[in-house]
Amino acid sequence: MSTAPFESIAHFDGCRRAVGQMARVEDTRSAAGDFRAWMLKQPKVRYFESFDLVKVPYPTRYGLRNAFSREKLVEFLHITNRCFVVQFDTVEGLKTLLVSPSDHERNGETPFFRRLADGAPKLVEPLIAKRYTTAPEIVKAAGLRPEDIDYITYDHLHTQDVRRWLGTDDEPAVFPNANLLVMGRELDCARDLNPYQADWYCPDGTTGIPESKIIRLEGDTYLGGGVALVHTPGHTEGNHSIVVHTDEGLWVTSENGIAAEAYAPQHSTVAGVADYAKTIGTEVIINANTLENSIDQYISMVQELTIAGPSQRDERFPNVFPSSELTRFWAFPGTRPAFSVGHARHGAVTR
Ligand SMILES: [Zn+2]
């Protein structure tokens, strides 16, 4: 196991320790404001681009916890999983990071999605799920070689199978120089799961990869050159958000919420969401397939929206780029979002 050669970030130390729950929210909001100001003074990344990987159905009752008013009629919504390629400067030179390179050819073994696939008629499947490309194809499309990838990271390890990318005794690594950046808490959980968690993790997704290729992070970390990984627990205990400084401000990526409007539900066009948020007085709608700690997830989403600041594309929404983004689909009426990030590209790739 490698130790991290990176700087740790102290902005959020102790901000969730207040006695009252809303005091924790406000302490974290204040720390996030300070952190945002600090990040905006750091250099911008050299290159950032998003790529659509796969579009899959996801239960509305999870994606928009209790807020979607047609839950009984419309059981599913669509989310698009994205992969991001980031290049940034460090003291050790230019580094290339792949964010969320899901191996969708293998992560169908995740128990929840296995049952979904087994229960769906085979004819319907191509209509419902859509595979756009693969992680190795994305690297090629960006003009890079597999050996150029220095790091891979995921906001959390649900459904992930990293064995092909990092290699095991049985198969060579697709990205031979890549190391996995992961929160220690997330890795420990993934290797000893409660049944409610296990339903969402790909069995043995990290088994057999060389320990020397795992860089274990123990909290908020600045990777250098405009990239930070911030521990944002809730969706999972070891969840983190990827914060990237670009020409379009700070992009913040995770799966704590599935749409920009999950962070600004008062502006949502999804059926029932704005009314629900107003009725219960919430400022976020959490992605709730696991409820490991929904209170912390709420705090984390306020943290994320504060770090992100307003979107330059539509200032009603924060500049969050969900790693799994709600995507309109005619067969799922009422799920059309008010705003989608879709795609972003900044700077130029260095080959
Ligand atoms: Zn997840």
Side-chain angles (χ1 to χ4, degrees), residues 58 155-159 200 235-236 239 255 287 289-290 324:
Y58 186 63
D155 43 291
H156 65 297
L157 292 176
H158 278 165
T159 77
W200 295 96
H235 183 64
T236 66
N239 200 88
E255 210 183 70
N287 173 23
N289 58 331
T290 59
S324 298

Side-chain angles (χ1 to χ4, degrees), residues 82-313:
R82 301 246 165 65
C83 177
F84 306 87
V85 184
V86 189
Q87 287 188 314
F88 57 103
D89 290 307
T90 73
V91 286
E92 293 173 343
L94 184 78
K95 298 291 179 190
T96 302
L97 165 70
L98 278 188
V99 177
S100 290
S102 301
D103 187 347
H104 58 67
E105 288 160 340
R106 288 204 180 164
N107 59 17
E109 292 310 311
T110 302
F112 178 84
F113 285 105
R114 178 83 271 152
R115 289 199 306 279
L116 201 62
D118 291 348
K122 281 283 163 263
L123 283 171
V124 176
E125 205 184 302
L127 184 75
I128 297 293
K130 191 171 167 109
R131 295 174 172 196
Y132 296 104
T133 185
T134 64
E137 284 167 7
I138 286 169
V139 169
K140 198 172 167 192
L144 295 166
R145 300 164 305 166
E147 52 269 38
D148 293 329
I149 306 304
D150 298 294
Y151 303 115
I152 64 178
T153 197
Y154 303 88
D155 43 291
H156 65 297
L157 292 176
H158 278 165
T159 77
Q160 304 304 342
D161 185 333
V162 301
R163 290 175 292 183
R164 269 207 285 194
W165 303 163
L166 297 175
T168 63
D169 287 344
D170 300 325
E171 58 187 333
V174 168
F175 304 117
N177 300 320
N179 287 326
L180 176 69
L181 297 169
V182 62
M183 288 289 159
R185 190 71 204 116
E186 185 67 14
L187 188 65
D188 292 342
C189 279
R191 289 175 166 180
D192 185 8
L193 293 162
N194 175 286
Y196 277 88
Q197 297 174 304
D199 208 28
W200 295 96
Y201 284 82
C202 197
D204 299 316
T206 62
T207 305
I209 57 172
E211 291 293 307
S212 62
K213 292 192 173 188
I214 299 173
I215 299 177
R216 189 184 163 100
L217 307 173
E218 297 304 342
D220 307 332
T221 303
Y222 186 62
L223 302 184
V227 185
L229 306 182
V230 176
H231 183 214
T232 47
H235 183 64
T236 66
E237 278 188 20
N239 200 88
H240 71 258
S241 307
I242 296 92
V243 182
V244 179
H245 189 199
T246 70
D247 299 333
E248 223 178 321
L250 302 176
W251 282 118
V252 179
T253 290
S254 87
E255 210 183 70
N256 278 317
I258 61 155
E261 62 207 78
Y263 295 80
Q266 69 275 27
H267 301 302
S268 179
T269 52
V270 176
V273 168
D275 281 348
Y276 176 81
K278 194 175 172 196
T279 302
I280 75 156
T282 183
E283 67 178 296
V284 296
I285 303 293
I286 67 176
N287 173 23
N289 58 331
T290 59
L291 290 168
E292 289 185 23
N293 197 332
S294 54
I295 299 298
D296 259 325
Q297 191 168 347
Y298 189 108
I299 300 170
S300 291
M301 289 180 72
V302 171
Q303 185 176 5
E304 290 176 313
L305 71 89
T306 308
I307 295 170
S311 166
Q312 292 176 18
R313 302 180 187 200

Side-chain angles (χ1 to χ4, degrees), residues 53-73:
L53 204 48
V54 60
K55 188 169 70 174
V56 293
Y58 186 63
T60 52
R61 70 182 188 280
Y62 295 148
L64 301 162
R65 188 190 180 195
N66 298 340
F68 181 57
S69 58
R70 298 187 196 169
E71 205 175 274
K72 288 195 177 71
L73 297 169

